[in-house]
Amino acid sequence: MAAGPVSNAGIANAVFNQLNAERRSMGLGPLARSSQLNSSAHAHNLAMVATKTFAHQVSGEAGLGSRVSATGLSWSWVGENIAWSSVTSTSAALSLETSMFNEKPGSDGHRQNILTTKGTMVGIDVVTDSTGKMWLTEDFGN
């Protein structure tokens, strides 16, 4: 029997620190870490792993707003960034975060979420599946 997804809290923490450093570099305050958004991000990672589907909503899964509400968080704005790598490492995750931060206008939805002025908190989850693929989800909210 194949092992289930393995959480990588240390990698998630490194991404969180880099995301807030990126915000500081643009004159923005840090986002707070939210256990509820961490939970919604983790649930989404597990859904993507289970279906082997890289998407913001996989078959049979609720949309982002409903997933966040299911954690008990009251919100008026949410956003989500997802990424993956065939390698599980802190450097690979930080490279994914850098790529999202460096997006150019016209195709910069991830960057807009990172630099949100609507959101005040973020949840970040990283899991590795049985093939070694690393899944990264960042859920943003206020």
Side-chain angles (χ1 to χ4, degrees):
M1 179 180 242
V6 175
S7 291
N8 296 290
I11 296 174
N13 288 336
V15 171
F16 173 72
N17 291 334
Q18 180 172 315
L19 183 147
N20 274 328
E22 292 163 346
R23 291 178 57 80
R24 276 191 306 279
S25 77
M26 301 302 291
L28 298 171
L31 297 177
R33 194 81 181 262
S34 162
S35 62
Q36 291 162 306
L37 291 172
N38 282 344
S39 294
S40 67
H42 182 66
H44 185 58
N45 271 342
L46 295 180
M48 289 192 295
V49 168
T51 60
K52 297 178 178 57
T53 304
F54 179 70
H56 286 285
Q57 184 175 7
V58 302
S59 181
E61 181 186 38
L64 174 60
S66 295
R67 293 194 315 261
V68 171
S69 292
T71 70
L73 182 68
S74 295
W75 57 272
S76 61
W77 175 85
V78 291
E80 182 173 73
N81 291 349
I82 58 174
W84 69 272
S85 174
S86 60
V87 176
T88 297
S89 69
T90 300
S91 61
L94 295 179
S95 178
L96 292 170
E97 174 61 28
T98 298
S99 294
M100 291 188 286
F101 176 70
N102 287 332
E103 289 174 343
K104 301 299 179 210
S107 183
D108 64 343
H110 297 110
R111 179 181 172 84
Q112 289 179 28
N113 284 339
I114 292 165
L115 299 178
T116 182
T117 56
K118 298 176 197 168
T120 58
M121 58 189 141
V122 65
I124 300 173
D125 185 70
V126 176
V127 300
T128 303
D129 67 19
S130 61
T131 70
K133 183 175 183 176
M134 180 177 65
W135 303 76
L136 166 66
T137 297
E138 302 171 342
D139 283 351
F140 300 83
N142 65 348

